Amino acid sequence: MTPSAPVHPLLEAGRALILIPARNEEEAIGAVVDEVYSLFGKIPVLVIDDGSHDSTAAIVKGRGARVLRLPHHLGLGGALQAGYRLAFELGFEYVVRIDGDGQHDPRFIPAMIDAVAQPGVQMAIGSRFVGSDDGYTSFLRGLGIRLFRAFLRPILGKPVRDPTSGFVAVNREALEVFSRSFPLEYPEIEALVVLRRRAFHFVEVPVSIRPRRAGRSTITALKSVYYLVHVMLGVLVNILIFDRRRWR
């Protein structure tokens, strides 16, 4: 397939991997992989099938992408750690994660890679809010994002506009850390705290977020409140444990 846009040198050289966690995304995953290939040609794409009960894995294989089928449903954090570990063992220098529901526009992948290829930057977050507060999101998610911004600012020592974004790129340094230990419960938020512990740095890259191609989010209003409270408690516990160990 001929790419319709210039291929980033690191993608063309096979040094960067596109990582897509997916669970029961048969209605969307094929179009996601097709769009990546239509833009960049047959670059390395790895889909982590997190115990799907549908045809997600078969559709991915039919597109020619690699798929890692997990024997049990591990949740997002477990699926991502499995993908990061495999990517590290295979020798990739950069990994860009996009979601399997089609919300992340792959045209921004080169900008994400450019960001983590800069000296002193270990992770890039694709932010729908850099320069704007009009990024596509639901009311409840938008409210949660604003609360997380305020909560994380003193912890991270710098602002983060889109802390729950799943459009993330990492370089080899962060990949090594995440391949060994990665937050299982609330990966996007707690991964930022992991970076803080390591004195690693992140930047935000402006991207656009689209509606899901198919299906609907499983996050209800009640689950949103549960998520908000438990993330904050989890982050605080992690910080307290880390600080206690550091001063022993």
Side-chain angles (χ1 to χ4, degrees):
M1 185 178 295
T2 303
S4 60
V7 181
H8 192 284
L10 295 174
L11 288 171
E12 196 170 31
R15 295 166 60 188
L17 172 73
I18 309 305
L19 179 65
I20 309 176
R23 175 172 167 79
N24 297 329
E25 293 286 2
E26 65 179 4
E27 297 182 38
I29 192 66
V32 173
V33 175
D34 286 344
E35 187 175 15
V36 171
Y37 284 157
S38 70
L39 288 168
F40 308 116
K42 288 289 186 175
I43 61 172
V45 174
L46 173 65
V47 174
I48 308 299
D49 181 11
D50 186 23
S52 295
H53 302 301
D54 62 6
S55 301
T56 294
I59 291 170
V60 171
K61 290 180 181 178
R63 262 54 177 196
R66 303 175 95 173
V67 58
L68 173 63
R69 298 197 69 180
L70 303 181
H72 303 287
H73 172 49
L74 298 182
L76 180 58
L80 286 172
Q81 184 175 4
Y84 284 140
R85 180 171 295 179
L86 181 56
F88 182 78
E89 291 177 354
L90 291 174
F92 285 100
E93 298 174 46
Y94 305 93
V95 174
V96 182
R97 169 203 163 186
I98 62 174
D99 286 345
D101 57 14
Q103 290 194 83
H104 298 148
D105 189 335
R107 289 177 298 176
F108 292 96
I109 288 174
M112 298 286 285
I113 295 175
D114 282 339
V116 289
Q118 297 301 312
V121 176
Q122 286 78 30
M123 187 169 85
I125 301 170
S127 174
R128 75 202 90 177
F129 301 116
V130 171
S132 171
D133 279 318
D134 298 327
Y136 172 81
T137 188
S138 66
F139 171 78
L140 284 174
R141 188 178 180 91
L143 177 61
I145 288 171
R146 288 190 289 274
L147 290 173
F148 282 133
R149 286 176 187 169
F151 177 68
L152 290 170
R153 176 66 177 84
I155 295 171
L156 300 177
K158 63 182 290 188
V160 52
R161 299 287 295 169
D162 202 354
T164 65
S165 174
F167 199 167
V168 174
V170 298
N171 70 0
R172 184 76 178 173
E173 291 177 279
L175 181 59
E176 180 179 11
V177 173
F178 290 159
S179 70
R180 291 187 281 105
S181 177
F182 193 73
L184 300 181
E185 289 288 335
Y186 314 106
E188 290 89 1
I189 300 292
E190 292 192 30
L192 293 170
V193 179
V194 172
L195 290 179
R196 169 188 173 272
R197 291 177 179 176
R198 296 276 177 169
F200 284 174
H201 299 284
F202 70 88
V203 296
E204 291 188 90
V205 176
V207 302
S208 62
I209 301 296
R210 309 176 293 197
R212 293 174 61 96
R213 287 185 178 272
R216 58 188 300 178
S217 174
T218 60
I219 304 299
T220 64
L222 183 60
K223 286 183 177 179
S224 295
V225 174
Y226 175 89
Y227 176 84
L228 181 67
V229 173
H230 278 253
V231 169
M232 289 183 175
L233 287 174
V235 169
L236 289 174
V237 168
N238 283 336
I239 291 172
L240 289 172
I241 292 174
F242 174 70
D243 287 343
R244 183 178 179 183
R245 289 174 177 172
R246 184 178 62 178
W247 293 108
R248 280 183 176 178

